[in-house]
Amino acid sequence: MNLVALLIGLGPLIGWGLFPTIASKFGGKPVNQIIGATVGTLIFAFVFFISTGHGFPTGMDLFFALLSGAGWSFGQIMTFKAFEYVGSSRAMPVTTAFQLLGASLWGVFALGNWPGVTNKIIGFLALVVILIGAWMTVWSEHPEATNKNLLRKAVVILIIGEIGYWLYSAAPQATDIGGKAAFLPQAIGMVIVAVIYGLMKMKNGNPFTNKVTWLQIISGFFFAFAALTYLISAQPNMNGLATGFVLSQTSVVLATLTGIYFLNQRKTSKEMLVTVIGLVLILVAATVTVFIK
């Protein structure tokens, strides 16, 4: 792996690692966050489109790219809602774990990954480790001080949101569309769902006129930067899909730690130790699932 490929591969670490913290720092309700973030992504994707000259997809390629972006918006709305309940430092490892589970299970049952009994045993053990790691990140030293109802709500919301994230990754696989060509229509799909969601929330005030909504465009730039660098990193002449995916998952470490230290989502020293061990387990198990042949 050369230095340029490594730096590009770590782009998602910065983008996806800081995205949830920046979105939470700007504040607002999930509707403000999703509108601003998707508009920021659309701006970034449009600039990339006009600067590279990639053709705009049509037909079923366009449909599945739009569906992919719509799925992401739905999943991210659910994640923003979970932030309200337990904070980004607790929600991010859990949603990352669910996304890894969803992607792995889809690969096994729909794409024929992990052929053979041995590979399946190793893979499913790795998935169990991912779940254990996610549980460790939300472990509380003083359970009596933890609102278990909010934690349960957050977990249920994140499970529902996984449907959207699954669409985000799976829909493009239904066609031969490349990641770079899908980037702009995905962003359009994201904005469509965000606008619909905003219109549904109009009875509680107009989110399109809130200053915080448009500040969230900045958080969208971070998401889009991560998505684009991941697409480049996953190319065979860079890091390849497997290594690029593992590098991208390091973002959960930065997202969790910045949420703790910059958003004052404090943990005791024992909770921090257990959280760090949980994050390591998630990353190691994710690596195992990707490199099973």
Side-chain angles (χ1 to χ4, degrees), residues 62-127:
L62 175 60
F63 171 77
F64 282 109
L66 290 171
L67 182 63
S68 171
W72 180 86
S73 270
F74 174 76
Q76 193 59 45
I77 289 169
M78 296 296 104
T79 302
F80 282 145
K81 285 182 174 291
F83 288 178
E84 289 188 315
Y85 292 137
V86 296
S88 62
S89 65
R90 289 179 180 267
M92 282 307 299
V94 176
T95 188
T96 298
F98 288 159
Q99 289 177 56
L100 288 169
L101 288 171
S104 298
L105 293 175
W106 172 252
V108 171
F109 294 111
L111 305 179
N113 295 344
W114 303 354
V117 176
T118 301
N119 286 341
K120 284 183 171 63
I121 292 174
I122 295 173
F124 283 110
L125 285 175
L127 296 184

Side-chain angles (χ1 to χ4, degrees), residues 94 97-98 101 125-137 282 285:
V94 176
F98 288 159
L101 288 171
L125 285 175
L127 296 184
V128 172
V129 172
I130 288 173
L131 287 175
I132 293 173
W135 172 81
M136 292 175 71
T137 63
I282 290 173

Side-chain angles (χ1 to χ4, degrees), residues 208-255:
F208 300 97
T209 60
N210 296 148
K211 179 181 178 181
V212 67
T213 296
W214 306 112
L215 283 175
Q216 289 289 354
I217 287 176
I218 298 174
S219 71
F221 290 157
F222 278 83
F223 170 81
F225 170 76
L228 180 59
T229 51
Y230 172 66
L231 291 174
I232 297 173
S233 171
Q235 293 181 9
N237 63 336
M238 295 299 290
N239 296 306
L241 181 60
T243 303
F245 179 78
V246 172
L247 289 173
S248 74
Q249 295 310 298
T250 59
S251 61
V252 68
V253 177
L254 185 60

Side-chain angles (χ1 to χ4, degrees), residues 15 60 68 146:
M60 295 307 292
S68 171
T146 302

Side-chain angles (χ1 to χ4, degrees), residues 3-293:
L3 181 59
V4 173
L6 177 61
L7 292 175
I8 292 175
L10 291 176
L13 165 65
I14 304 299
W16 284 332
L18 294 179
F19 167 61
T21 300
I22 292 172
S24 297
K25 192 69 175 178
F26 282 135
K29 298 178 179 178
V31 65
N32 305 115
Q33 295 170 322
I34 196 64
I35 293 172
T38 54
V39 170
T41 301
L42 179 61
I43 294 171
F44 194 104
F46 183 73
V47 171
F48 175 75
F49 173 76
I50 62 175
S51 62
T52 59
H54 278 287
F56 194 80
T58 57
M60 295 307 292
D61 286 349
L62 175 60
F63 171 77
F64 282 109
L66 290 171
L67 182 63
S68 171
W72 180 86
S73 270
F74 174 76
Q76 193 59 45
I77 289 169
M78 296 296 104
T79 302
F80 282 145
K81 285 182 174 291
F83 288 178
E84 289 188 315
Y85 292 137
V86 296
S88 62
S89 65
R90 289 179 180 267
M92 282 307 299
V94 176
T95 188
T96 298
F98 288 159
Q99 289 177 56
L100 288 169
L101 288 171
S104 298
L105 293 175
W106 172 252
V108 171
F109 294 111
L111 305 179
N113 295 344
W114 303 354
V117 176
T118 301
N119 286 341
K120 284 183 171 63
I121 292 174
I122 295 173
F124 283 110
L125 285 175
L127 296 184
V128 172
V129 172
I130 288 173
L131 287 175
I132 293 173
W135 172 81
M136 292 175 71
T137 63
V138 297
W139 176 80
S140 176
E141 184 178 3
H142 306 290
E144 67 279 358
T146 302
N147 192 321
K148 293 183 179 180
N149 286 332
L150 290 182
L151 182 58
R152 290 192 193 97
K153 286 182 179 180
V155 171
V156 170
I157 286 173
L158 292 174
I159 291 174
I160 295 172
E162 172 54 28
I163 298 171
Y165 288 133
W166 168 77
L167 274 175
Y168 176 58
S169 60
Q173 297 173 8
T175 68
D176 294 326
I177 186 173
K180 292 181 180 179
F183 193 35
L184 179 58
Q186 279 178 331
I188 294 172
M190 293 174 185
V191 170
I192 290 173
V193 170
V195 169
I196 293 173
Y197 184 60
L199 293 174
M200 291 170 58
K201 291 292 183 178
M202 288 285 283
K203 61 182 180 181
N204 298 321
N206 188 348
F208 300 97
T209 60
N210 296 148
K211 179 181 178 181
V212 67
T213 296
W214 306 112
L215 283 175
Q216 289 289 354
I217 287 176
I218 298 174
S219 71
F221 290 157
F222 278 83
F223 170 81
F225 170 76
L228 180 59
T229 51
Y230 172 66
L231 291 174
I232 297 173
S233 171
Q235 293 181 9
N237 63 336
M238 295 299 290
N239 296 306
L241 181 60
T243 303
F245 179 78
V246 172
L247 289 173
S248 74
Q249 295 310 298
T250 59
S251 61
V252 68
V253 177
L254 185 60
T256 302
L257 297 180
T258 54
I260 292 170
Y261 290 111
F262 292 105
L263 300 176
N264 294 316
Q265 297 171 4
R266 296 298 183 184
K267 293 176 178 280
T268 66
S269 57
K270 187 176 292 186
E271 288 171 346
M272 273 299 301
L273 176 61
V274 174
T275 294
V276 170
I277 294 174
L279 290 172
V280 171
L281 289 178
I282 290 173
L283 292 177
V284 171
T287 303
V288 170
T289 63
V290 170
F291 285 99
I292 297 175
K293 301 298 183 181

